[in-house]
Amino acid sequence: LLLQVFDAFKPRFQESNSKVTQEALVALHKMIPVLKDNSSPVINMLIPAIVDNNLNSKNPGIYAAATNVIQALCQHLDTSLLLQPFCTKAQFLSGKAKQDLTEKLA
């Protein structure tokens, strides 16, 4: 069930409407403390969706919401679940997204 929910939710992070993207990130930020490690089946799907377009966003609201989600993931999940997806994304990113993920990895 969780996979089905996040399969439907994931496209909202890549929406052309920036308000929808920002609200989706804010909603995810609120879900993470509730789901905690139960969200592990969807981590490999979520991290690229969050990071790819949003962590380098020029829209300050989207960037802030994306960094809040990354911070919440680090606070509420077993960090061993995040290591591989963060490393994989950090290899191929540029700009502030690469810097942000590299700092989280350190």
Side-chain angles (χ1 to χ4, degrees), residues 2 5 7 9 11 14 17 20 22 25-26 29 33 47-48 62 66 68 72 74 78 83 89 98 105:
L2 188 65
V5 169
D7 277 342
F9 193 46
Q14 299 159 331
N17 183 331
V20 171
Q22 186 172 343
L25 289 164
V26 168
H29 180 252
I47 300 232
I62 290 175
N68 287 341
C74 292
D78 179 355
L83 186 61
K89 289 312 305 173
K98 184 175 190 106
L105 284 166

Side-chain angles (χ1 to χ4, degrees), residues 50-57 63 66-67 70 96-97 100-101:
I50 296 162
V51 170
D52 285 346
N53 296 319
N54 303 311
L55 213 50
N56 264 334
S57 178
Y63 174 74
T67 56
I70 297 296
K96 61 185 175 180
D100 289 345
L101 271 189

Side-chain angles (χ1 to χ4, degrees), residues 3-15:
L3 283 172
Q4 292 171 323
V5 169
F6 278 95
D7 277 342
F9 193 46
K10 179 184 164 189
R12 303 297 72 85
F13 301 121
Q14 299 159 331
E15 216 20 85

